[in-house]
Amino acid sequence: MRKKAFQLGLRVHDKPESQEVCFIQETSYHSFLSERLKESIEAGPILDKDGNVLGRHKGIPFYTIGQRRGLRLAKGKPLYVIGIDREKNALIVGGEEEVYRDTFIVGSINWIEPQEMIPASHNLQVKIRYNHPGSEASLSPKGEGEWE
């Protein structure tokens, strides 16, 4: 892609890869979200998997599954976000071994192939983050707009 951009004379051919939400002009997506979602962002509890309160978070939109930084917790071992409970406005944290899953439910898929061409159950390559190399997976409908 970069070679093609260079051949076409595009100035972005050597631009560094984006590490954040690329369309946001502010220096931090936190300020972007805070300004636009201020009515709906609420601090809440950070819980372990047994429901014990370990601390407080700044608002669910600022966290993602697998995140370790920014939790402001000191519990003797690194803790990671292993779940998000929107109903309780809570983050659930655990050890690194608890981050990994064999299955997960998604409600929003970016289809490269038109969705109507995807069979009901299908083996394919999935990427869970922009820089993930992709993994073999099977995809099955779970409900209205949800896939496992």
Side-chain angles (χ1 to χ4, degrees):
M1 289 295 249
R2 291 185 185 278
K3 183 177 179 181
K4 187 70 168 172
F6 178 77
Q7 290 170 347
L8 294 171
L10 300 175
R11 291 179 294 162
V12 297
H13 71 85
D14 61 351
K15 182 180 175 188
E17 296 270 341
S18 172
Q19 297 297 313
E20 295 290 345
V21 182
C22 58
F23 63 87
I24 297 175
Q25 299 299 312
E26 288 89 349
T27 57
S28 164
Y29 71 92
H30 287 252
S31 60
F32 176 86
L33 292 175
S34 294
E35 184 177 309
R36 285 158 184 83
L37 301 175
K38 59 183 149 210
E39 304 292 319
S40 60
I41 295 178
E42 293 181 38
I46 299 176
L47 310 173
D48 64 16
K49 65 182 178 187
D50 296 323
N52 300 309
V53 177
L54 304 179
R56 306 246 333 137
H57 65 77
K58 296 178 185 178
I60 287 176
F62 301 127
Y63 303 89
T64 187
I65 302 294
Q67 180 173 337
R68 179 177 158 215
R69 294 186 180 178
L71 295 175
R72 301 174 317 206
L73 295 173
K75 299 297 174 198
K77 69 174 187 171
L79 294 174
Y80 299 80
V81 177
I82 62 170
I84 298 174
D85 185 331
R86 293 188 192 285
E87 288 182 22
K88 294 180 181 176
N89 188 34
L91 295 180
I92 296 88
V93 297
E96 181 180 7
E97 69 283 356
E98 297 173 281
V99 173
Y100 303 105
R101 299 282 190 272
D102 293 321
T103 64
F104 56 93
I105 306 296
V106 293
S108 177
I109 297 177
N110 183 5
W111 296 98
I112 294 173
E113 239 178 84
Q115 183 175 352
E116 50 277 357
M117 295 180 72
I118 307 290
S121 290
H122 192 68
N123 291 326
L124 42 84
Q125 284 277 319
V126 298
K127 292 178 74 165
I128 59 170
R129 296 187 196 283
Y130 74 94
N131 63 350
H132 185 264
S135 295
E136 291 288 326
S138 62
L139 181 71
S140 302
K142 194 69 174 160
E144 185 63 34
E146 287 189 336
W147 297 79
E148 177 177 14

